[in-house]
Amino acid sequence: MKAIVLVGGFGTRLRPLTLTTPKQMLPVVGVPMIERVVAKLAANGVTDAILSLGYRPDAFLEAYPDDRCAGVRLHYAVEPEPLDTAGAVRFAATEAGVDSRFIVLNGDVLTDLDVAALWALHAERGAEATIALTPVDDPSRYGVVPIAADGRVEAFIEKPPPGEAPTNWINAGTYVLEPSVLDRIPAGRKVSIERETFPRLVEDGSLFALQSSAYWVDAGTPATYLQVQLDYVDGLRGQAEPAVHPSAVVEDGATVEHAVVMAGATVAAGATVRDSVLLPGATVGAGAEVDGSIVGEGSVVGAGASLRDLTVTGLGAEVPAGATLVGARVPDADA
Ligand code: GDD
Ligand code: MG
């Protein structure tokens, strides 16, 4: 089985973390997000993953110099310019010579979805494309997908205004596609699979969907990037993973509560880190408080500073001693 993994986006919602590192190379409890995604693919029988790259492709090429990741063979398709989700699929499939039924996934989704069940439904229905659906509380930031009793998709509504979604079942970002779908995607320009390709397939009655309540999180926002990591240490995804890396230093008199502390990070005496993530080499100064926030790689939180409500600091960013940051980005994401 071959899978095209879309990892070429700019990851704007995760800035400033993604100003230096593409979203899917950010660590999730010490392991690059892409590696977690590809390991799940391997467990589902995928042998070859084609990484559809655009933004900062070198980060992936350098991380996997022998073109293997979690036991899967990697292939790379680097877009000359962003082609959006369907354009990226067409480009990657052409580059890698994909000519039979294949899988596509959004590379920022961490899920326990049963891909074999999706593949089986696709074959049973004789579908041209079949997508996995997951239930969420607020469908407005996703692709909303009402279906008939037999799984036929009735509409595909990408990011409807709040309160206007006809169902809370949304596109979970894993698809089984026939090669004929590629012929529907115009070449050489941006094409959105959500806004162009799926609505056309709906019109032809050839798009099906499988509802699944398996674990599912799109880790593409600060809130969800934080949540998936706490889920790993809380044991929601198999055996609980250690929250504090053995090479991290938590000084006597520091409090680390329900937080991920990655390799080489330091928490000084009197500091408190709660419901948060410290990336490798981050430093939290004496008496500082980090609550529900993300401290970037090598970033320094000054003594007595307070970070709360999804504050995010970027690579090497410094927070002055005594500063109070609430829901802030350092440096400012739009700068
Ligand atoms: N190669 C390439 N080129 N990849 C891209 C491009 C591009 O131009 N644009 C986005 N991607 C990649 C991103 O890196 C990400 O892995 C994936 O495509 C989806 O993009 P996001 O920006 O994360 O989309 P989203 O989260 O707002 O919405 C999508 O995912 C939801 C589920 O997580 C849509 O597919 C929704 O319908 C869906 O519900
Ligand atoms: Mg996403």
Side-chain angles (χ1 to χ4, degrees):
M1 274 204 291
K2 287 185 182 172
I4 294 175
V5 188
L6 299 175
V7 291
F10 292 106
T12 47
R13 287 163 292 192
L14 274 175
R15 285 182 189 162
L17 297 171
T18 45
L19 290 174
T20 44
T21 306
K23 172 162 65 175
Q24 296 86 359
M25 282 307 297
L26 288 173
V28 171
V29 197
V31 178
M33 190 184 297
I34 185 66
E35 220 163 306
R36 303 251 184 207
V37 169
V38 170
K40 277 287 169 195
L41 286 178
N44 276 284
V46 169
T47 52
D48 291 78
I50 301 135
L51 301 190
S52 164
L53 303 167
Y55 177 61
R56 296 191 173 261
D58 292 350
F60 297 89
L61 298 166
E62 283 161 16
Y64 306 102
D66 60 352
D67 300 344
R68 293 198 75 88
C69 174
V72 170
R73 247 186 321 270
L74 294 183
H75 309 261
Y76 306 101
V78 183
E79 284 159 39
E81 62 201 1
L83 292 171
D84 208 342
T85 44
V89 169
R90 185 191 159 113
F91 180 83
T94 306
E95 289 277 294
V98 175
D99 56 6
S100 58
R101 189 173 294 170
F102 62 103
I103 294 165
V104 170
L105 60 156
N106 289 344
D108 60 351
V109 168
L110 296 165
T111 179
D112 291 335
L113 174 78
D114 181 353
V115 178
L118 189 69
W119 190 272
L121 180 84
H122 178 87
E124 269 166 37
R125 295 286 183 273
E128 195 173 350
T130 304
I131 69 185
L133 308 182
T134 188
V136 294
D137 291 337
D138 175 15
S140 65
R141 56 171 281 240
Y142 301 105
V144 177
V145 187
I147 63 172
D150 65 349
R152 196 182 297 266
V153 172
E154 292 173 331
F156 193 107
I157 312 146
E158 183 67 7
K159 303 194 172 102
E164 287 184 21
T167 169
N168 70 332
W169 286 92
I170 60 103
N171 168 25
T174 302
Y175 322 132
V176 177
L177 303 183
E178 291 302 308
S180 61
V181 172
L182 300 171
D183 302 330
R184 293 173 173 267
I185 303 169
R189 71 158 167 94
K190 280 191 169 158
V191 185
S192 161
I193 203 164
E194 297 88 352
R195 294 178 195 278
E196 288 192 47
T197 316
F198 288 155
R200 293 297 92 73
L201 287 161
V202 171
E203 283 168 13
D204 293 352
S206 53
L207 182 64
F208 284 78
L210 175 71
Q211 295 180 333
S212 163
S213 296
Y215 180 94
W216 184 91
V217 177
D218 172 336
T221 68
T224 55
Y225 175 59
L226 180 53
Q227 182 203 330
V228 288
Q229 304 196 60
L230 296 177
D231 287 350
Y232 275 103
V233 302
D234 287 343
L236 268 63
R237 311 229 38 217
Q239 203 180 352
E241 297 189 13
V244 179
H245 192 273
S247 69
V249 177
V250 179
E251 290 182 2
D252 288 344
T255 305
V256 172
E257 217 177 79
H258 199 225
V260 175
V261 183
M262 293 190 206
T266 304
V267 185
T272 301
V273 179
R274 189 182 295 116
D275 299 328
S276 294
V277 171
L278 308 185
L279 271 73
T283 306
V284 177
E289 188 192 0
V290 178
D291 195 341
S293 294
I294 302 166
V295 182
E297 191 170 338
S299 174
V300 179
V301 176
S306 170
L307 276 57
R308 291 188 268 124
D309 292 350
L310 291 175
T311 289
V312 183
T313 69
L315 177 77
E318 294 187 20
V319 177
T324 296
L325 300 176
V326 182
R329 303 281 182 274
V330 185
D332 189 335
D334 302 322

